[in-house]
Amino acid sequence: MPIEHRPLLGVSEAAALTGLDEKIVRQAIRQGELIACYAHSSTKRIRQRDLDDWISSLPERPQ
């Protein structure tokens, strides 16, 4: 299944889809801006819909 169609993504996959560095994705998770879950493992997983919501919430221009 192509990465963009997966319901759950790893941090590296989320970073690849957004074009952002993994550090930015991890920071957003730590700060509670991006929701991550643990689906029967100790690995963080990001729901595609949560990633989409986070991207939509980003400012269009620096403040």
Side-chain angles (χ1 to χ4, degrees):
M1 177 182 306
I3 189 174
E4 61 271 8
H5 297 293
R6 293 182 190 171
L8 293 173
L9 304 166
V11 171
S12 61
E13 295 167 327
L17 276 176
T18 61
L20 297 171
D21 192 276
E22 283 185 40
K23 291 178 186 179
I24 301 295
V25 175
R26 290 183 195 282
Q27 180 181 11
I29 293 168
R30 274 195 311 278
Q31 292 177 343
E33 299 170 4
L34 177 59
I35 299 168
C37 60
Y38 296 89
H40 300 289
S41 75
S42 60
T43 304
K44 289 180 186 173
R45 296 287 178 210
I46 301 161
R47 291 177 191 95
Q48 181 73 46
R49 68 176 186 259
D50 292 330
L51 182 63
D52 292 339
D53 289 346
W54 177 65
I55 292 168
S56 294
S57 74
L58 295 173
E60 291 185 25
R61 295 187 178 137
Q63 300 192 15

